[in-house]
């Protein structure tokens, strides 16, 4: 019975996702995926202690993709994933690319440092999911018509790193701009005092 509960196929995921997981050879959910996926699907807010290598990215990406289902014609991104670094952005984009296949969901990645114009252009596709550093999100909000009012799912990944890098003010500002009805998930390797308070 326990093994059955651990299986992706028993989690009520879409055929497209199950196909992608099978292509990736993800035969069993990792520990954190077993814990997070059902809670995320239920719409719960989640705080998770996790490290890179635990399968944490797919742990939220799988239920997120399952919930969003298909591209929305309504203007406004429905999921915002805040990340601290370019390195994590590359990992996250690999994960989303692999899991999104077979759906028409769109995503955009907006991070500091390079291809400013191209990144802004990608917002014109009305991405369902936006992966971004908090600083860049604030720039987009200030410089374009982009808003966060349609965000239903907010993921704060590597929150300890985000706070160490001094992004707390931007994160608080972003929280004010997303609906209070959103689902929120915070992932962090450690929960230092400042983060615990937050
Ligand atoms: P992460 O902790 O998100 O950095 O993921 C670590 C690595 O585990 C990534 O390369 C994923 O492709 C891989 N991975 C994630 N979930 C699974 C799974 N259920 N089975 C096998 N590999 C996985």
């Amino acid at each position: 019975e326990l093994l059955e509960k651990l299986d992706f196929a028993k989690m009520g995921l879409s055929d497209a996702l199950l196909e992608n997981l099978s292509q990736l050879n993800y035969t069993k959910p990792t520990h954190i995926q077993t814990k997070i996926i059902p809670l995320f699907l239920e719409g719960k807010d989640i705080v998770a202690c996790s490290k890179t290598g635990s399968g944490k990215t797919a742990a939220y990406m799988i239920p997120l993709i399952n919930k969003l289902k298909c591209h929305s014609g309504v203007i406004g991104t429905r999921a915002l994933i805040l990340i601290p670094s370019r390195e994590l952005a590359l990992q996250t984009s690999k994960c989303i690319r692999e899991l999104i296949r077979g759906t028409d969901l769109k995503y955009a990645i907006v991070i500091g440092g390079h291809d400013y114009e191209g990144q802004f252009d990608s917002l014109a596709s009305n991405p369902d999911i936006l992966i971004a550093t908090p600083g860049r999100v604030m720039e987009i909000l200030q410089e374009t018509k982009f808003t966060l009012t349609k965000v239903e799912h907010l993921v704060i990944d590597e929150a300890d790193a985000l706070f160490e890098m001094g992004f707390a003010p931007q994160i608080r500002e972003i929280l004010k701009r997303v609906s209070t009805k959103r689902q929120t998930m915070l992932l962090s390797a450690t929960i230092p005092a400042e983060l615990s308070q937050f």
Side-chain angles (χ1 to χ4, degrees):
E1 198 195 5
L2 185 64
L3 278 176
E4 274 185 7
K5 274 189 197 150
L6 291 174
D7 196 340
F8 283 122
K10 303 291 191 302
M11 290 176 164
L13 301 173
S14 69
D15 290 346
L17 269 167
L18 291 177
E19 175 62 27
N20 294 337
L21 291 166
S22 147
Q23 290 284 329
L24 287 166
N25 239 338
Y26 289 7
T27 49
K28 288 261 174 290
T30 64
H31 180 67
I32 191 163
Q33 289 164 3
T34 305
K35 296 218 145 184
I36 287 178
I37 294 172
L39 291 175
F40 198 113
L41 290 173
E42 279 175 37
K44 294 274 188 341
D45 289 336
I46 301 167
V47 173
C49 271
S50 67
K51 289 191 177 123
T52 297
S54 61
K56 70 179 173 82
T57 316
Y60 67 78
M61 209 62 95
I62 291 167
L64 178 63
I65 291 170
N66 198 73
K67 286 196 146 207
L68 296 177
K69 286 193 181 73
C70 54
H71 181 62
S72 168
V74 179
I75 300 293
T77 193
R78 290 178 291 154
L80 175 63
I81 300 169
L82 296 177
I83 47 156
S85 65
R86 256 196 88 178
E87 291 65 38
L88 187 60
L90 295 177
Q91 266 175 257
T92 310
S93 72
K94 179 169 176 283
C95 180
I96 196 170
R97 236 185 2 254
E98 291 168 342
L99 291 174
I100 217 167
R101 277 190 207 126
T103 79
D104 63 351
L105 287 168
K106 295 183 197 301
Y107 69 95
I109 300 181
V110 187
I111 46 171
H114 74 138
D115 187 23
Y116 203 75
E117 294 291 322
Q119 291 186 7
F120 274 31
D121 289 349
S122 69
L123 298 174
S125 68
N126 189 27
D128 303 281
I129 303 169
L130 178 65
I131 300 164
T133 52
R136 212 49 150 193
V137 173
M138 290 312 298
E139 281 172 19
I140 295 169
L141 293 175
Q142 278 149 17
E143 293 172 27
T144 72
K145 285 183 181 151
F146 202 84
T147 72
L148 300 176
T149 54
K150 294 287 192 295
V151 170
E152 297 163 12
H153 309 278
L154 173 68
V155 177
I156 306 174
D157 196 0
E158 297 195 353
D160 48 357
L162 283 166
F163 272 66
E164 261 168 46
M165 292 167 79
F167 278 129
Q170 286 94 334
I171 296 173
R172 286 184 214 279
E173 197 53 48
I174 289 165
L175 283 171
K176 285 189 210 155
R177 315 244 188 152
V178 297
S179 164
T180 50
K181 282 183 290 183
R182 73 186 179 266
Q183 177 179 27
T184 313
M185 169 151 175
L186 185 141
L187 290 138
S188 196
T190 59
I191 311 268
E194 192 194 3
L195 194 55
S196 160
Q197 229 168 9
F198 168 77

